[in-house]
Amino acid sequence: MSLEARARAQWPTLLAIVVAGGVLLRIAAILVAEHLGHGPVRGDAITYDGLAQSLSAGEGYVHHGRTDNARAPAYPFVLSLVYRAVGHRPLAGAIAQALWDGLAIAILAVLTRWLTMSAASALLASAMLALWPGAMLMDLTLYTEPFYTVVLLLGTFALMRMETEPAPRRAIAAGVLWGLPGLTRQNALFFLPMYAVAGPFVFRSMERAPNGGPHPRARRRAARADPLVRAGRRRQRPVDVDPGLQRAQSLDREPSAVRGPGHRSRGVGRDHRSARAASR
């Protein structure tokens, strides 16, 4: 059995192992850093922590009494939900970030498999994110990156689906899911021009299979766009056909060698009699 066949056969189990392994590694790193005296509230996290405390207490989007904060509101709002549930515990916020990374690992696997149609490539990409030291270090502090990675991947996936399979609901989903990265970090808007330039080249390559033929996804999309295929999927009402008329039509279509020189179609005879009756 090839590597790809094994990956397809054991896809749910292998993906669950990769996601669980990535989350457990991050939680272990968070606990070790906390034990060594490196808490999750440092640097920019001081501002995020203060905003989340104010939101969880119902005081609004304020930090040290100031309302003119330049930070995007999505991540402090998500962190405030954690504080509202468990109280002001920054360590719980850091563990929640490890869970966000686990979700990002799973989304990356699904996105990669949809894009490449290879389960082995999807598992490799997700394993690289699960073991990436930079992603683990971001979970040690209350930064926006873990949550931002999740919404950025979701927005990218929705944008690709809208490009390859256009539909109004996919356009709405892409707009909503791209609004979340913009509300998390302002630099999310820089990705849209890059996608607009690189997207056509990526999607054009998806139209061809590695062997030169049409890509399976392109064939499915063409089949859905064909009106005859769509009409064939609908349940049609049965039509009653006169057995005598059907027999006459079948005799008219038979070649003369089969019918014989003296054979006359009953349907044709009826048509001639009807024509003579009408002329009278």
Side-chain angles (χ1 to χ4, degrees):
M1 183 180 292
S2 64
L3 181 62
E4 176 64 23
R6 291 180 181 178
R8 289 179 180 273
Q10 303 177 5
W11 167 258
T13 303
L14 294 176
L15 180 58
I17 291 174
V18 172
V19 172
V23 171
L24 292 177
L25 284 175
R26 284 158 172 76
I27 293 177
I30 292 169
L31 296 178
V32 170
E34 180 75 13
H35 179 72
L36 296 177
H38 300 287
V41 182
R42 291 172 290 160
D44 292 344
I46 298 175
T47 304
Y48 295 128
D49 179 68
L51 291 170
Q53 288 187 66
S54 299
L55 288 172
S56 63
E59 298 174 359
Y61 198 68
V62 297
H63 180 54
H64 293 304
R66 296 179 63 90
T67 58
D68 55 347
N69 198 287
R71 303 291 181 183
Y75 176 70
F77 175 75
V78 172
L79 185 59
S80 70
L81 298 179
V82 177
Y83 287 171
R84 185 180 288 271
V86 301
H88 181 232
R89 297 180 180 177
L91 184 62
I95 293 176
Q97 297 201 142
L99 299 178
W100 283 117
D101 262 357
L103 183 57
I105 294 169
I107 296 173
L108 180 62
V110 174
L111 174 59
T112 305
R113 183 171 183 181
W114 177 84
L115 190 61
T116 65
M117 301 191 73
S118 171
S121 300
L123 291 173
L124 178 60
S126 60
M128 291 175 64
L129 179 57
L131 300 176
W132 185 35
M136 295 184 191
L137 290 176
M138 288 299 174
D139 290 329
L140 303 182
T141 313
L142 297 179
Y143 286 160
T144 61
E145 277 75 7
F147 177 73
Y148 179 63
T149 303
V150 171
V151 293
L152 189 64
L153 286 173
L154 287 175
T156 302
F157 196 9
L159 201 64
M160 288 181 174
R161 290 296 304 273
M162 182 190 70
E163 178 67 24
T164 56
E165 302 176 19
R169 66 180 185 277
R170 292 195 176 96
I172 295 173
V176 171
L177 292 175
W178 260 104
L180 292 176
L183 290 172
T184 306
R185 294 180 67 92
Q186 295 90 332
N187 59 6
L189 300 178
F190 296 145
F191 285 93
L192 292 178
M194 291 188 289
Y195 286 167
V197 173
F201 297 98
V202 175
F203 300 130
R204 193 175 302 137
S205 64
M206 292 172 58
E207 299 295 328
R208 307 297 296 178
N211 58 2
H215 198 279
R217 188 175 295 112
R219 291 198 298 265
R220 291 196 297 268
R221 187 168 66 253
R224 283 193 294 268
D226 191 346
L228 296 178
V229 175
R230 292 201 307 266
R233 293 176 180 175
R234 299 174 183 172
R235 180 177 298 178
Q236 300 181 356
R237 296 178 58 185
V239 179
D240 295 332
V241 179
D242 185 7
L245 180 60
Q246 189 175 11
R247 173 62 178 168
Q249 291 176 349
S250 63
L251 290 174
D252 290 340
R253 287 194 296 267
E254 291 180 0
S256 58
V258 176
R259 292 182 298 192
H263 179 80
R264 187 179 66 176
S265 172
R266 289 178 295 175
V268 174
R270 281 198 298 268
D271 293 340
H272 289 171
R273 288 194 298 271
S274 300
R276 286 196 300 269
S279 61
R280 294 173 185 173

